[in-house]
Amino acid sequence: MAEDENRDKRRQRVFKGATILTGMTNSEVTCTVRNMHDGGAELKVSIDARVPDEFLLYVPTDGIAYKAVVRWRREDRIGIMFTGTEPKPHWHYG
């Protein structure tokens, strides 16, 4: 079965700027949300970005910081699962 056939049909293609907040000395990695659904998203990041297995994904257009866990990695793409939400951290200026 093709990988696309395993995907949830409710996944929506989006193009949203976002920031991966790692919490490690308040470091941030900019990214683009490429598609999104209730349970997770696919992110496009710089090929050399260091992204931990768990982080907060702040999406300014949503005004939400999603708790995220990495499910897969392929070159400059990362698939994540949402595990909850939090208010935007006070140290993030975006």
Side-chain angles (χ1 to χ4, degrees):
M1 188 177 268
E3 181 177 328
D4 289 342
E5 292 175 29
N6 291 328
R7 291 187 174 169
D8 187 333
K9 302 292 186 218
R10 294 172 290 168
R11 188 173 298 221
Q12 295 180 347
R13 288 187 183 263
V14 297
F15 191 77
K16 297 180 181 181
T19 306
I20 295 169
L21 308 174
T22 67
M24 296 181 293
T25 62
N26 301 341
S27 63
E28 302 178 2
V29 175
T30 58
C31 66
T32 304
V33 181
R34 300 294 300 187
N35 64 54
M36 190 175 215
H37 55 90
D38 290 340
E42 178 183 336
L43 310 178
K44 181 173 173 145
V45 299
S46 169
I47 194 97
D48 59 349
R50 291 188 171 188
V51 178
D53 291 334
E54 294 185 30
F55 55 86
L56 283 178
L57 176 70
Y58 179 63
V59 183
T61 57
D62 295 350
I64 296 173
Y66 299 93
K67 293 180 187 178
V69 175
V70 174
R71 302 295 290 177
W72 54 264
R73 298 173 192 259
R74 290 186 194 100
E75 297 178 6
D76 64 346
R77 304 291 170 111
I78 299 175
I80 60 170
M81 176 178 70
F82 298 139
T83 59
T85 60
E86 286 188 6
K88 179 181 88 163
H90 68 278
W91 50 266
H92 178 66
Y93 300 106

